[in-house]
Every structure is written in structure tokens, then in C-alpha cells.
Amino acid sequence: MMKKLIITVRVNEYVSRERNKHVPFTPDEIADAAVECRAAGASIIHLHARNPDGSPCHTPAVYAEIVGKIRDRTDILIDSTLGVHTVKEDENRLQHIKLMGQKSRTRPDFAAVDTGSTNMDTYDPETKTFKTVNKTYINSTETCLFLAKGMTASGVKPHLSIWAVPFMRMTGALLDMGAIHEPAYVQCVLADGWHVGAHPGTPRGLEALIDFLPANRRIEWTVCLKDGNLMNVAPFILERGGHLAPGLGDYPYAEFGYPSNAQLVHRFAELGRAAGREPATTDEARVMLGISKET
Ligand code: ZN
């Protein structure tokens, strides 16, 4: 039997509802999306807390409220952001994980560690200018170590976001020194639309990353695609044994009629089934990723 498919739904990031009206903001909206996406075949939800007007929210109590509301209604695994784009200080970035760590029910199962630095600026070929010129996304080695060790100590599994080959090499070092444990959960971040700081959303763009997965390690890897349709790369990902991380947070999916997150998950689940990769249940995803049931 072929390996089960873990679908992570990336429901909102910090995108506007002008892109797709189904992007959830409030804890109740995010919990609704979690329930619907779980039913459609997702076993992990990646979320960002938002204020009711959609602006970024960094209040630990709101993160705890979201996690609690999701856990009340579904068994989906929860992957929370650290608010990295707007909260600079490492200690603050880990704040909601640490505060929630006391009570396992409101602690997420995963949180993101980006294992390197890159430029987030996008180029506009029409005007031949960059839209921004100073959006650097800095994750020093010190930050990576602090976050990886802090999460591991709190019982939260790091999801390691990989934007380029050096991020993969840092992942190998973190495994080698025992700062993170196997099986590692790696998320390859691809980007279309002239994001020059990431690999393009094509099979070759992805292959250049997974060629450098740390050797002889137990790793499950998934792929997200910013500003592009993950369907374009999904057949290659399924064939190579990877997992899928679609969502309205990355792309509005106009070509599918601006679907909800759950409708999008349904499409990717069907694609997986057609390729012999049945969507994993939450318990199956736990086993594959080494997440204990107590968390
Ligand atoms: Zn995110």
C-alpha cells in the first residue's frame, strides 16, 4: 500500500478577504474552517491569529482561544505561526507557545521554524522595479537554535520551513546536534509570481530542494506554494512521496472559482486518492510525524 497523504491546510496567513472572501479571521471562523477541512481530508491546520478587521493579532490569549475552540470540535492537528513577520524578538515569538505550554489542551501540536534567512521582495516585470526593496526575513542561527530547542522542550513539534538549499543544510545540522528529533517535519516553501527569495513552483524548483534532504534521516516533507496553484506541482509531489499543504493563505485559487479552504482540501484529497495516496487520518498523521497523543 502506498504511503498515506498528510494534507495541511494553510487557512489564512495574513492575506486579505479581497483575494478570497472565505479567508477566516476570528477564532470561531478558524474553528469552522478546521472542522470543515478535517471532514474534507486535512489532518493538520496551519493558522495565524487575526483581529476581526483582519489585521495581525499577537495576543497569546487569542491563540489559546483558537486552539481551544478547534479542540472542542475536531481532532485535527494544530500548527500555529509565531507571528514572525511582525514580532521580531525571539522571546516574544515563542511567547504564546510557552504560555500555552502549561496547559496542553491549548498548546499547538506544531509551530514553524524557518531555518535560514531570505529576501521577501517581489519583482514586477511590467514596471521593471521591485515592489519593495527591504523585506528581509532574518532567522539567525541563534534564533533557529532558540526556537527549535524551546519548542522541543515545550512538547511542540517544529515544522521546518525551507526556502532554499541552505535551509535544508541547517535542518541537517539541527538533526545532527539533537536540537530537533526524528521524524523531522519539513515544509518546502515554493513561490510563483516573482518572489525572487524562494524556489519557483515547478517540479524542478522543488526537486532542487528535495535533492538536499538530509540523508539517512526519517523525514516527512510537505510543500506549499505562495502566489501559485499547488495543483501544478502536486502530481510530482505525490509521486515522490511528499505531502501537500494548500490553502487560501497562499493563493486565492481564482481558477477553481474562489473556493473555501474545505473545498480546496477536497480537490487535493481527490487528487491524492486518484494517485493511490489516501488522505491520512489525524491518528495516522500522528504516527507518521511522531506526535504523541498526550499533547
Ligand atoms: Zn503561516
Side-chain angles (χ1 to χ4, degrees):
M1 198 176 71
M2 289 177 82
K3 190 203 277 190
K4 291 281 175 81
L5 170 64
I6 298 170
I7 299 177
T8 298
V9 61
R10 296 165 49 83
V11 289
N12 60 358
E13 300 299 303
Y14 292 124
V15 301
S16 153
R17 269 191 195 144
E18 284 165 22
R19 280 164 53 113
N20 182 316
K21 67 178 182 184
H22 299 293
V23 175
F25 291 165
T26 66
D28 286 314
E29 289 167 357
I30 294 171
D32 286 345
V35 171
E36 293 163 12
C37 290
R38 175 73 193 89
S43 43
I44 305 175
I45 180 172
H46 172 70
L47 61 90
H48 289 233
R50 309 276 293 262
N51 295 311
D53 68 357
S55 59
C57 169
H58 300 295
T59 312
V62 175
Y63 275 95
E65 182 188 352
I66 295 169
V67 175
K69 284 192 162 166
I70 294 173
R71 296 224 195 276
D72 281 345
R73 297 176 55 195
T74 171
D75 69 350
I76 199 166
L77 296 168
I78 301 170
D79 177 4
S80 165
T81 191
L82 295 173
V84 283
H85 295 290
T86 43
V87 182
K88 286 291 175 204
E89 205 194 322
D90 291 346
E91 193 63 44
N92 284 339
R93 285 163 67 162
L94 209 52
Q95 192 183 185
H96 68 264
I97 307 284
K98 281 197 165 168
L99 288 178
M100 289 189 284
Q102 311 304 322
K103 280 195 266 169
S104 63
R105 205 181 154 276
T106 50
R107 181 179 62 197
D109 302 290
F110 305 88
V113 181
D114 292 64
T115 57
S117 303
T118 190
N119 291 344
M120 305 291 277
D121 305 300
T122 54
Y123 179 69
D124 180 352
E126 276 185 27
T127 59
K128 301 202 185 299
T129 55
F130 278 92
K131 290 175 186 164
T132 57
V133 290
N134 53 13
K135 284 174 77 177
T136 48
Y137 183 24
I138 297 172
N139 296 284
S140 68
T141 300
E142 182 181 37
T143 295
C144 294
L145 294 174
F146 175 83
L147 293 177
K149 289 176 180 174
M151 284 178 203
T152 302
S154 302
V156 172
K157 185 149 193 107
H159 100 232
L160 306 154
S161 285
I162 308 294
W163 293 70
V165 172
F167 290 54
M168 208 61 106
R169 302 184 74 181
M170 173 62 90
T171 297
L174 292 173
L175 278 165
D176 191 63
M177 70 195 292
I180 55 174
H181 303 316
E182 295 180 54
Y185 179 44
V186 161
Q187 177 176 268
C188 299
V189 181
L190 306 178
D192 283 343
W194 288 94
H195 280 270
V196 296
H199 287 226
T202 63
R204 286 188 66 198
L206 175 61
E207 190 156 39
L209 286 179
I210 61 176
D211 274 354
F212 290 92
L213 279 162
N216 304 316
R217 295 288 187 179
R218 280 191 300 139
I219 293 176
E220 294 297 336
W221 55 275
T222 191
V223 184
C224 68
L225 173 51
K226 291 186 181 296
D227 286 341
N229 188 332
L230 187 65
M231 237 2 133
N232 298 337
V233 206
F236 176 76
I237 296 166
L238 293 168
E239 181 194 313
R240 295 293 294 268
H243 303 284
L244 300 173
L248 301 187
D250 290 327
Y251 187 62
Y253 287 89
E255 54 271 66
F256 297 159
Y258 299 99
S260 67
N261 277 296
Q263 289 167 332
L264 190 63
V265 167
H266 180 75
R267 277 181 180 264
F268 282 93
E270 288 297 296
L271 188 80
R273 285 190 187 100
R277 301 277 311 275
E278 187 68 24
T281 65
T282 298
D283 283 344
E284 288 164 344
R286 279 181 190 279
V287 171
M288 292 165 84
L289 298 170
I291 311 269
S292 70
K293 200 133 197 188
E294 291 75 55
T295 57

